[in-house]
């Protein structure tokens, strides 16, 4: 190592690049970037490695799978056309949203010129900060009012065993007009039905096959559980989806590929609420601006939205209830019970 060149450890490099340390390890595992080693054997990233990792992060942000990133870095354009088309579609969606907001601003200014003062609700609507979801919490809560502002494309629902997160998820699916709830039957008895439905709908099959190809390139394992999940995710109709334990039946590599795929949908995608207790799905270090976390405390206090930063209210409790896929597999099927009253 050249002592005059600045080298960063993985945590510092990830922070500079705006990615997680887990993402850097994945890049290395795939042979996309090779960090240098210190005399003590620690990984380090110099200017060349940072430039390479920056290119990888940019290509990933465009929606390329890791296999497509490898081909792009090697000069092979395969996969760039659909990725650029998807990115263009996402940008066009943002332009439409901005145009609609500009039209609202123009209308409010015109009203103001006529002496009509905008309501606080109309002003809040400009930023999308008004309540987008509101209902009274079911048992085990005491009927407290729950409100969620500006629903994001990805919202995670988590908490310890017995905290009520499933009841919260069901209540959200009932309160959102046109929403659907994907329960755990999709990965068991529903797997055969999911494959039959995929085979009987050419349009749905095309979408699932495309998503599956990207997922497999990213390291996912083709399985009944994955197919059943994709059928639910790719089916048109519901305005929002609430998914019970999205990691059910999926190994770690598949979980990481699935969440990377869902993040590629862009800010205009229909909302997804993902119940999870897996840190491969809910990586607190990798959350972006289009993602939110709802945490259900063990003491049945009302659910709260937790910011993904150490020190934020609820962060430590949230982090403590997430586990690796290996640990989640050991505890699969465990349920908290409420003893009968004496």
């Amino acid at each position: 190592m050249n002592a005059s060149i600045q080298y960063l450890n993985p945590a510092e490099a990830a922070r500079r690049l705006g990615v997680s340390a887990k993402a850097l390890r994945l890049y290395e595992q795939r042979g996309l970037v090779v960090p240098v080693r210190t005399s003590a054997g620690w990984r380090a990233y110099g200017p060349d490695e940072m430039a390479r990792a920056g290119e990888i992060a940019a290509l990933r942000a465009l929606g390329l799978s890791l296999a497509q990133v490898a081909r792009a870095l090697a000069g092979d354009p395969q996969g760039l056309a659909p990725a650029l088309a998807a990115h263009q579609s996402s940008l066009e969606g943002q332009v439409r949203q901005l145009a609609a907001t500009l039209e609202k601003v123009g209308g409010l200014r015109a009203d103001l010129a006529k002496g009509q003062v905008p309501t606080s609700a109309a002003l809040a609507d400009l930023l999308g900060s008004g309540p987008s979801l509101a209902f009274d919490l079911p048992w085990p809560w005491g009927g407290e009012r729950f409100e969620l502002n500006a629903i994001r494309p990805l919202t995670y629902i988590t908490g310890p065993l017995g905290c009520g997160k499933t009841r919260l998820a069901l209540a959200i699916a009932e309160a959102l007009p046109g929403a659907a709830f994907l329960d755990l039957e999709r990965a068991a008895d529903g797997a055969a039905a999911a494959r039959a439905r995929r085979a009987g709908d050419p349009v749905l099959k095309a979408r699932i096959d495309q998503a599956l190809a990207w997922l497999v390139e990213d390291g996912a394992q083709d399985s009944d559980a994955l197919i059943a999940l994709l059928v639910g995710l790719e089916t048109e109709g519901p305005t929002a989806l609430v998914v019970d334990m999205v990691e059910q039946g999926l190994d770690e590599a598949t979980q990481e590929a699935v969440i990377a795929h869902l993040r590629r949908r862009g800010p205009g995608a229909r909302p997804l609420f993902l119940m999870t207790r897996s840190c491969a799905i809910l990586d607190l270090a990798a959350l972006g601006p289009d993602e939110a976390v709802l945490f259900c405390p063990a003491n049945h206090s009302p659910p709260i939205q937790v910011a993904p930063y150490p020190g934020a209210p609820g962060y430590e409790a949230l982090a403590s209830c997430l586990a690796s896929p290996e640990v989640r597999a050991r505890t699969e099927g465990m349920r908290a019970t409420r003893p009968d009253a004496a």
Side-chain angles (χ1 to χ4, degrees):
M1 294 176 58
N2 190 328
S4 64
I5 297 178
Q6 182 183 18
Y7 289 88
L8 305 176
N9 64 38
E12 294 169 334
R15 188 162 49 250
R16 293 274 186 94
L17 293 166
V19 302
S20 67
K22 182 185 294 183
L24 276 184
R25 290 196 300 272
L26 187 58
Y27 300 164
E28 182 183 357
Q29 290 169 5
R30 294 298 185 90
L32 299 176
V33 63
V34 181
V36 298
R37 295 279 181 166
T38 67
S39 57
W42 300 104
R43 292 176 176 82
Y45 292 80
D48 292 341
E49 293 75 29
M50 289 294 291
R52 177 79 166 188
E55 291 177 359
I56 298 167
L59 292 171
R60 290 288 283 167
L62 284 175
L64 272 68
S65 70
L66 289 175
Q68 290 170 326
V69 167
R71 289 197 292 266
L73 292 174
D76 183 350
Q78 182 182 353
L80 287 178
L84 290 174
H87 189 61
Q88 179 178 340
S89 177
S90 175
L91 291 173
E92 289 171 346
Q94 295 177 49
V95 169
R96 288 192 294 269
Q97 290 179 353
L98 286 173
T101 302
L102 283 172
E103 186 176 353
K104 291 178 183 178
V105 172
L108 292 177
R109 292 186 64 190
D111 292 342
L112 191 60
K114 297 174 185 177
Q116 301 175 9
V117 180
T119 66
S120 58
L123 292 172
D125 185 54
L126 294 177
L127 298 177
S129 57
S132 301
L133 178 65
F135 57 86
D136 294 334
L137 288 167
W139 184 92
W141 296 283
E144 299 94 337
R145 193 65 174 170
F146 176 79
E147 294 185 352
L148 182 62
N149 299 333
I151 295 175
R152 311 285 178 83
L154 278 177
T155 300
Y156 305 89
I157 303 173
T158 191
L161 292 172
C163 67
K165 58 183 176 294
T166 301
R167 291 179 181 271
L168 175 65
L170 286 167
I172 289 173
E174 292 174 0
L176 279 175
F181 184 76
L182 301 182
D183 61 28
L184 294 181
E185 292 301 315
R186 68 178 187 272
D189 298 337
R195 287 191 180 273
R197 185 176 174 188
R198 171 196 183 197
D201 186 336
V203 176
L204 177 61
K205 182 179 185 300
R207 288 200 301 270
I208 291 173
D209 288 349
Q210 182 183 38
L212 185 60
W214 283 46
L215 289 167
V216 170
E217 283 192 340
D218 266 358
Q221 178 68 43
D222 188 349
S223 65
D224 284 347
L226 180 57
I227 293 297
L229 176 63
L230 288 177
V231 168
L233 292 173
E234 298 296 334
T235 296
E236 293 185 343
T239 58
L241 291 174
V242 184
V243 184
D244 192 356
M245 290 303 172
V246 65
E247 65 263 26
Q248 185 77 7
L250 308 180
D251 62 20
E252 182 170 6
T254 303
Q255 291 180 37
E256 292 176 347
V258 164
I259 197 60
H261 171 68
L262 296 179
R263 284 182 172 131
R264 284 195 287 259
R265 300 177 312 137
R270 68 177 170 185
L272 292 179
F273 291 83
L274 307 178
M275 283 180 58
T276 183
R277 291 188 64 220
S278 170
C279 59
I281 294 292
L282 176 48
D283 182 352
L284 295 174
L287 262 62
D290 295 325
E291 301 170 67
V293 182
L294 298 179
F295 176 65
C296 298
N299 64 358
H300 296 150
S301 296
I304 59 173
Q305 185 168 334
V306 178
Y309 309 109
Y315 178 89
E316 283 72 21
L318 165 64
S320 70
C321 75
L322 298 173
S324 69
E326 180 183 0
V327 172
R328 291 285 296 119
R330 290 204 306 269
T331 59
E332 184 176 348
M334 291 180 60
R335 296 180 181 274
T337 59
R338 185 173 62 132
D340 295 334

